[in-house]
Amino acid sequence: MTLHAIIDRVTDRIRERSLESRSSYLAKIARAAEEGPRRAHLSCGNQAHAYAAMPDKEDLATTRKPNIGIVTAYNDMLSAHQPYERFPDLIRQAAHAAGATAQVAGGVPAMCDGVTQGRPGMELSLFSRDVIALASAVALTHDVFDAALYLGVCDKIVPGLIIAAGTFGHIPAVFVPAGPMPSGLPNDEKSKVRQQFATGEIGREALMAAEMASYHAPGTCTFYGTANTNQMLMEFMGLHLPGSSFVNPNTPLREALTVAAVQRAAAITRLGNDYLPAGEVLDERAFVNGIVGLMATGGSTNLVLHLPAMARAAGVILDLEDFHDLSETVPLMARVYPNGLADVNHFHAAGGLGFMIGQLLEAGLLHPDVKTIAGGGLDQYASEPKLKDGRVEWVAGAHETLNDKILRPAANPFAATGGLKQLSGNLGRGVIKVSAVAPERHVIEAPARVFADQEEVKAAFKRGEFTEDVIVVVRFQGPSANGMPELHSLTPTLAVLQDRGLRVALVTDGRMSGASGKVPAAIHISPEAAKGGPLARLRDGDILRLDAVQGTLACLSESFESRPAAQHDPSYSAEGLGRELFAAFRAHVGPATEGAAVVV
């Protein structure tokens, strides 16, 4: 199928915008690759230190076996990362069988947004992405690895690992998923219980029982938030093995896929004939394919922040207009909670990513001619893995959806567009995700109520102050103000107001989350209020208009433009739970439109 004209045009625009930075990047990784296997440049003493604890250290010292570095986000506080506890032993065994060796190069932090929602610790969440990139660099800087396996799943972990993989672009990179937990309490029932708690209909005991029934086992949370969007992205970008993203943990197929990932890592080093540096996989076509996947699946708005930062690490410059134009072109093919009732296990059973990638390739909406760790183009990702005699074999994926309430073909989608809109106007520039928002709520014009944090919103709700249509503005939530925390804990409150018949919207320079849903939310507004952005001039009662149809966000009050800006009080985020250690991050972070990054 011929590539769609808009996909082609957006890719060319990114390529032209990135010409200088991408050329410089490719030259950098080519110079690094030309030096040959890195261990050859270490002294005998350097190498002895690196291999001292390995049972097969003589192999590394005297042969040209590939040595694979494992960068792991394992901890047993996160259900998504707990399965990684067993992976290093399995990887070392698989590497040995493949004629290679493997070492855990280092660990990276992996915090959980689900634990820190609405808490001060959430202010470190976005910055943890950059810390993960830095920690990965420390792990790989020992310079003894011919390929790297990246073990990570959740919100900031995969983007941070990608920034590292791009920075060390001469080293082949294979991303190894852990899989989602089995289905628990349906997500819509969990959401209903949260709203009942917000209105005081039930107590904390009932709320706790529902939450524990939802998050109940090792594996990724089953709703389609940022963690599972990351997993989709790695498959669309050719960094996972085909069909591996949503296979449950601790199953024979999951284990066999991990072994197969080790085999691929060993095969694509510079020591063999199929050298595939990560930087060649991470080109502008791969990032366009990733954005297409984001739109077709109705994925997390957090990736609108992460993808530009990830791309910059590989010399590729993305802009909000790229997301907008691709969203207008790509159909919404999936309904997975919060955009529907199904979870990712149901999505996978209905045909999953293999069906979707096949459909999008046939429609000309994906670049087929990309480099992938599977060894060919993206057409391989229309297949699915099966277990035969303990080994993985790939067979043709589903050609028809197995449940059209969850997954539909590109020619008969749930919506003609991906549901992500760029917003601009006299309040700045940002985005809104409307795939779960009812069409009659795509345009909201109402008086503003202005708050400096989400707790003030909840307090006003409890006092019964929201009795009319309202656009809730939560400012001073941007990256330089307090690290740009998610405001997801506002979802039940705003949803209750909407269910009471009010027309409600949220406007913020903060984030919402991968679980943003039926309430219209204009997020990532830039310039942020702490930098003197327009949100800092808003007052209670200003008439605001959020128009997701036309893509505009404006204050209609006449005096707005000439007002002085309210000043941010940085003391709120200056200390506690490690926030004092991140003052330099807040001082030097870039704008949300460029990924809200410090290190790229």
Side-chain angles (χ1 to χ4, degrees), residues 239-298:
L239 289 161
H240 276 177
L241 288 175
S244 63
S245 297
F246 300 131
V247 175
N248 299 123
N250 303 318
T251 61
L253 181 56
R254 174 85 279 154
E255 185 168 304
L257 283 164
T258 300
V259 170
V262 178
Q263 293 167 344
R264 285 306 300 161
I268 59 177
T269 75
R270 194 170 177 82
L271 295 174
N273 297 321
D274 295 317
Y275 176 50
L276 183 61
E280 291 186 8
V281 177
L282 294 168
D283 69 4
E284 65 281 348
R285 297 169 301 168
F287 284 103
V288 167
N289 284 350
I291 297 173
V292 169
L294 180 67
M295 302 311 166
T297 59

Side-chain angles (χ1 to χ4, degrees), residues 357-518:
I357 289 172
Q359 286 283 310
L360 291 167
L361 284 169
E362 288 181 14
L365 293 169
L366 288 170
H367 288 280
D369 55 340
V370 290
K371 294 183 178 181
T372 73
I373 61 103
L378 200 64
D379 60 317
Q380 291 180 256
Y381 286 75
S383 62
E384 61 178 300
K386 298 292 184 182
L387 201 59
K388 185 175 181 180
D389 299 327
R391 297 174 60 87
V392 177
E393 289 188 357
W394 277 267
V395 301
H399 293 292
E400 295 182 0
T401 177
L402 302 180
N403 188 332
D404 65 4
K405 293 181 174 63
I406 300 171
L407 187 58
R408 289 188 180 174
N412 180 33
F414 291 101
T417 65
L420 190 81
K421 300 275 190 175
Q422 178 182 209
L423 297 172
S424 60
N426 65 2
L427 289 180
R429 204 169 171 221
V431 296
I432 184 171
K433 177 182 172 183
V434 296
S435 51
V437 177
E440 62 270 21
R441 299 185 183 277
H442 287 191
V443 179
I444 303 287
E445 185 173 312
R449 280 291 308 273
V450 183
F451 301 90
D453 66 58
Q454 56 188 322
E455 293 307 314
E456 291 181 2
V457 180
K458 296 175 189 176
F461 172 79
K462 290 178 180 178
R463 292 193 298 266
E465 295 180 8
F466 297 111
T467 58
E468 299 177 335
D469 295 349
V470 64
I471 293 183
V472 174
V473 177
V474 187
R475 64 190 180 191
F476 301 123
Q477 302 298 306
S480 67
N482 62 353
M484 205 177 187
E486 287 184 350
L487 306 179
H488 178 51
S489 67
L490 288 179
T491 298
T493 299
L494 299 177
V496 167
L497 295 177
Q498 185 169 273
D499 289 346
R500 289 175 178 172
L502 302 183
R503 294 181 64 76
V504 181
L506 173 71
V507 173
T508 181
D509 48 9
R511 295 183 290 130
M512 196 58 182
S513 97
S516 54
K518 63 183 181 180

Side-chain angles (χ1 to χ4, degrees), residues 177-209:
M181 69 177 67
S183 301
L185 181 73
N187 286 294
D188 59 322
E189 293 185 28
K190 173 191 67 181
S191 179
K192 181 180 179 180
V193 171
R194 286 178 175 178
Q195 290 188 40
Q196 290 173 328
F197 179 76
T199 59
E201 296 175 54
I202 62 171
R204 184 167 294 277
E205 184 176 341
L207 175 65
M208 189 67 186

